[in-house]
């Protein structure tokens, strides 16, 4: 059991949410999300192929964003023929699309195929956001559809069960495999995440049902979809982060906004009810990031020069092709230490900070 003190600090304003992941008071991750943000990773859309780019072996897809989404042939996924067949059945209101019970999985598409042999300009396509839009680029999308939960990932058009490599015990791996085999719907594969270790059948079944609800929402929305349309929405970034980083060794989650506090509390209650008391509402007048020393760390972390406590400092330069990091010993000289010892100490401290950066 880890003794590290892990905390999540959430600052919520009218326009955005900032989420800081802190380990032993050190800022490890910082996430920002605009409140009205569309096109979040995991959102599924009914899109339309706008332009085929044979030279890139890719297409641009209209998903109701100012910039068209980019879809490479390899991101169609091997099961694209099945995805396309399912989409058409769902749009026609075929009830079998809801469960895939009598669905015949199509053969995989060619690994080294050409996008122009599979897609035509103007056709509908079912896609999921794989990478959010950034600066001048639109989102990156995939047709390799999957839904991630706290313990499991649901993979349609497959009957495989994969278990996280981080779960080492042979008995536990076998227990999880048997459990999932007994609750898994036909034609849905499942990836068992590390968090599932030691969890009961009821907890895993509840997670699987939530993921199947997302699938069924998408299917029902396809029936009445008018292009382009969001079919099913990923959780907001706060919940996604909680889902992905929340482990048993979290100590506290502090939130400075009452609506967000209730949202986070309800989410924790739904996935790990025994941890609901770690969510705390922050009421002080001092901004939450100031109070927890995060603002100061942001200022010192994201500049060109990054100082480390012992006087060592890094100079980080961003170029188009790479990042250059220069390690400087500064005034880190201790009496009686030789040059090699000093260099080793400086490099050890820098390695930790560089990994954090």
């Amino acid at each position: 059991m880890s003794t590290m003190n892990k905390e999540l600090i959430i600052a919520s304003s009218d326009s955005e949410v900032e989420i800081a992941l802190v380990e032993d008071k050190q800022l490890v991750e910082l996430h920002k999300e605009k409140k009205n943000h569309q096109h979040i990773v995991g959102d599924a859309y009914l899109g339309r192929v706008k332009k085929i780019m044979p030279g890139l072996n890719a297409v641009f897809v209209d998903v109701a964003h100012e910039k068209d989404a980019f879809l490479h042939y390899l991101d169609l996924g091997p099961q694209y023929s099945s995805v396309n067949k399912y989409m058409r059945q769902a749009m026609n209101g075929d009830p079998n699309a809801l469960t895939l019970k009598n669905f015949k999985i199509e053969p995989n598409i060619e690994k080294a195929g050409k996008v122009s042999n599979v897609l035509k300009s103007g056709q509908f396509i079912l896609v999921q956001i794989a990478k959010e839009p950034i600066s001048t680029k639109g989102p990156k999308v995939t047709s390799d559809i999957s839904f991630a939960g706290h313990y499991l990932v649901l993979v349609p058009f497959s009957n495989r069960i994969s278990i996280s490599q981080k779960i080492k015990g042979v008995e536990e791996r076998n227990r999880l495999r048997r459990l999932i085999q007994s609750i898994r719907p036909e034609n849905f594969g499942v990836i068992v995440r590390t968090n599932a270790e030691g969890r009961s059948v009821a907890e895993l079944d509840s997670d699987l049902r939530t993921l199947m609800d997302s699938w069924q929402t998408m299917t029902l929305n396809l029936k009445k979809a008018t292009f382009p349309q969001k079919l099913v929405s990923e959780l907001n970034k706060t919940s996604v982060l909680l889902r992905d980083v929340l482990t048993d060794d979290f100590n506290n989650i502090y939130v400075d906004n009452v609506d967000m506090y209730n949202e986070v509390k309800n989410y924790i209650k739904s996935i790990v009810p025994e941890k609901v008391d770690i969510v705390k509402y922050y009421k002080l007048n001092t901004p939450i990031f100031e109070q927890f020393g995060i603002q100061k760390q942001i200022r010192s972390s994201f500049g060109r020069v990054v100082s480390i406590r012992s006087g060592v400092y890094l100079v980080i330069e961003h170029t188009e092709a790479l990042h250059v990091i220069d390690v400087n010993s500064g005034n880190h000289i201790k009496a009686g230490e030789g040059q090699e010892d000093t260099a080793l100490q400086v490099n050890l401290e820098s390695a930790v900070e560089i990994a954090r950066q």
Side-chain angles (χ1 to χ4, degrees), residues 57-59 70-85 105-115 118-119 125-128 130 140-146 155-158:
N57 204 17
V59 295
F70 181 78
L71 173 66
H72 191 273
Y73 178 81
L74 293 175
D75 292 319
L76 282 171
Q79 301 288 355
Y80 175 71
S81 301
S82 296
V83 173
N84 192 37
K85 177 171 140 185
I105 292 178
E106 297 296 308
N108 286 0
I109 61 172
E110 282 178 63
K111 242 186 180 152
K114 292 210 168 6
V115 76
V118 180
L119 298 177
I125 184 167
L126 178 60
V127 292
Q128 200 168 23
K140 190 166 182 267
V141 293
T142 174
S143 283
D144 208 354
I145 308 290
S146 64
V155 186
F157 317 112
S158 159

Side-chain angles (χ1 to χ4, degrees), residues 25-78:
K25 307 269 182 266
Q26 275 256 299
L27 178 64
V28 180
E29 288 181 27
L30 182 68
H31 297 260
K32 289 189 179 196
E33 181 194 13
K34 292 269 182 275
K35 283 272 178 78
N36 59 356
H37 192 38
Q38 297 289 312
H39 301 86
I40 293 173
V41 170
D43 286 352
Y45 278 81
L46 177 66
R48 192 195 290 270
V49 177
K50 278 284 283 288
K51 195 173 182 189
I52 294 182
M53 310 289 286
L56 295 172
N57 204 17
V59 295
F60 283 104
V61 181
D62 183 354
V63 288
H65 187 268
E66 57 196 286
K67 300 275 184 193
D68 290 334
F70 181 78
L71 173 66
H72 191 273
Y73 178 81
L74 293 175
D75 292 319
L76 282 171

Side-chain angles (χ1 to χ4, degrees), residues 346-357:
V346 167
N347 285 337
L348 285 172
E349 287 185 28
S350 301
V352 173
E353 181 60 27
I354 288 167
R356 190 173 81 96
Q357 287 284 328

